[in-house]
Amino acid sequence: MAAALGKMQVVIRTVILTAMSFFFSSTSAQSKAYIVYMDQSAMPRAFSTHHSWFESTLSTISDNLELPISSKLIHTYTNSIHGFSATLTQTELAALKNSPGYIHSTPDRPLQPHTTHTPELLGLSSTSGAWPASSYGEGVIIGVVDSGVWPESESFKDEGMTKVPPRWRGKCETGEQFNASLCNKKLIGARFYNRGIRANFPELNITLNSPRDDQGHGTHTASTAAGNFVEGASYFGYAAGTARGMAPRARLAIYKVLWGNKVYMSDVIAAVDQAIKDGVDILSMSLGFELSKEEFFEEDPVAVAAFAAMEKGIFVSASAGNRGRLHGTINNGAPWLTTVGAGTVDREFEGALTVGNDSKAIAFESLYAGEFSGLRAPLVFLGKCKSLKKLRKLDEKERVIVVCKDGKTTNLGDQIEIVKNGSSVISGAVFISTDSWNDYYDYSFAAAFIDEKDGKSVTNYITKTQNPTGVLEFRKTILGRAPAPKVDRYSSRGPFVRSPSVLKPDVLAPGSSILASWSPVDKVAEVHSKPLFSHFKIISGTSMAAPHVSGVAALIKAVHPGWSPAAIRSAIMTTANPLDSTRKPIKDAGNFDHPASPIDIGAGFIVPNKAIDPGLVYDAATEDYVKLLCSLNYTAKQMKIITKSNPDCINPSSDLNYPSFIAYFTGNFEGVEPGLKVVREFRRTLTNVGKERSSYRAELTAMSGLKVTVEPAKLVFRRKNEKLSYKLSVEGPSYLEEEVVQGSLSWVEKSGKYVVRSPIVATNIDPMTT
């Protein structure tokens, strides 16, 4: 009897398990995993934790109350985002959208480790090149002068880090919502400076009187330079992958000087002064000051502070500014720091519009972070979209996609505002415009911006179809777009009026659409009047380019700890690539994609793997920069402000030992008749840091209308650190007909292992009139 009963129990258990297996497999087939973003401020007081709130929310929308909520809930999030992930049916998802606190949801997609992407774009690999050779920048300390840091960010975790270098003399300062325990073996220092801004703005409300970053900018730049590895990073699904900085094992010291987008010179100088005392190796500065033609270096705190840092052997990387695309717009052009322009990358973020049953979707740039259905909806053409009243007459239940086309009497910005105000009755909008819609991006509702060619196909379809429909989709990340890089339109251009004999910017680095860590208390977007927050953000600017170079400098410093800042800059410049991914000259996005010149891009786009072993370097010491300042006829007082000394200026020279050349043929030279030939001469000295015995020959590219020569044409080095000199001559008319003529000088090692390239620019631009 007992045996028979046991057999019966086994059969019943088997039937139950089989039924449950069928039920769960059927349910899983009907369900999909979603990541859900919730409004933190909407959590009712009745809930003690977010977890319990999320569980309750899921309970109220569940199709099957017999299933435990734990079977649907995948994760709850409190740091990376505020929300949860869960498996939901379409019915449950629809119900969730009406729940209190719901902001938006996105399907949980498979991820690939293709990074915040710029390390991969620049060729950095864990198997060979600069990363393993430098131990990922281990032991190097990067100081970041910016808006502070969000220390809880995963980019600043110290997993895998060794002990803090004993030479470090800095500390973590306690302040509002910040204590010393927040620092670790990655984030080894954090200080803040606001006495200068308080003096200038006594009424300014300092919201976080501490190193903590409530703006995001400093966190972004710090993590770009030296952020640790963070898997699963993205901006609402865009740029998904593993985030990491240029030097993932370098240390970070943070100096907060930016408060409410305001910064004062006194605070910047104080920060750099302390960074020098603390013992940083690299300084990253993504801020600058615009000097007038009547002002000199002593008016520029970045220049003055950077000079002191350079004297102590500290490499300073600074952003070129975002005032492009005209000549003479550059900031931070002091010869003793490295000036970085911004380039595009081969990654784009898109949405897609499909009309009718067309198999070919219309792609458009987008970073829309909000909810989208991806479902088919009616298309309604509203012409110029001038009337909000007409828009609100649409049936709210139908949730259509409106289509707007600009005209001579309409402004795209006005159209966007009208549609935004009526966005509660629409599913999305399509704007057909000839304007540069990048300036009008508004991600508070689902919008597509397309040109007239694509717009014509959309309007033709609508007018010829009885019930026109369309589908809007977002969160598409496209890799491998060519050509890349381009110098972006906002990147400031040279020449630099304060020292025009030194070509600026120095190099181009990734600066456009860069994903990096962000402050989670700073709103990154707004969707239907609801703010969105994120631990990562995608932004553009030369602010993003400078920390890329800071990180690369840390890799070089780790391999060559005794190199001067000038030697490190030389290695980065002479190995930079002037060609894009199609092996054609880098183009200028701000000048109709015409070829860019070194006045726009410096030596080219950075190549870290080559920079750690450049073969030869152009070195310079403090006295070389002093001679340059002497040539600018600075007064003794001005010289002392910058150099903190009283140089005698017996041998002034504007011909700095620099890895680039700029020759002026402006016709403004006293005693030179128009049409007569003039010669510009440059003398340079190269230091052998490659093979002990090596031979280099000079290769010159032709420059239209100019005669370029180099003497000697061959350099033979017999030992390491040996120095050899040469003279470069550029002969041409006193006034150059072309605005800019460019070329290059490359010293090519006999075996072909090293190519040490320097850009040459001849121009008729008068730097004093730019």
Side-chain angles (χ1 to χ4, degrees), residues 355-357 379 456-465 467-469:
V355 297
N357 297 316
L379 287 172
K456 188 174 183 180
S457 66
V458 173
T459 54
N460 285 344
Y461 163 74
I462 293 173
T463 56
K464 295 178 181 179
T465 306
N467 295 303
T469 62

Side-chain angles (χ1 to χ4, degrees), residues 237-291:
Y238 294 101
T242 300
R244 63 257 199 173
M246 292 293 100
R249 292 290 184 261
R251 318 301 171 130
L252 282 166
I254 305 301
Y255 301 87
K256 181 178 178 180
V257 298
L258 197 61
W259 306 86
N261 289 320
K262 291 183 173 64
V263 58
Y264 272 80
M265 297 180 179
S266 54
D267 291 333
V268 173
I269 295 173
V272 176
D273 184 77
Q274 187 62 55
I276 294 170
K277 292 179 183 178
D278 288 346
V280 304
D281 302 301
I282 312 290
L283 265 176
S284 189
M285 305 179 74
S286 290
L287 45 85
F289 295 86
E290 183 180 344
L291 295 176

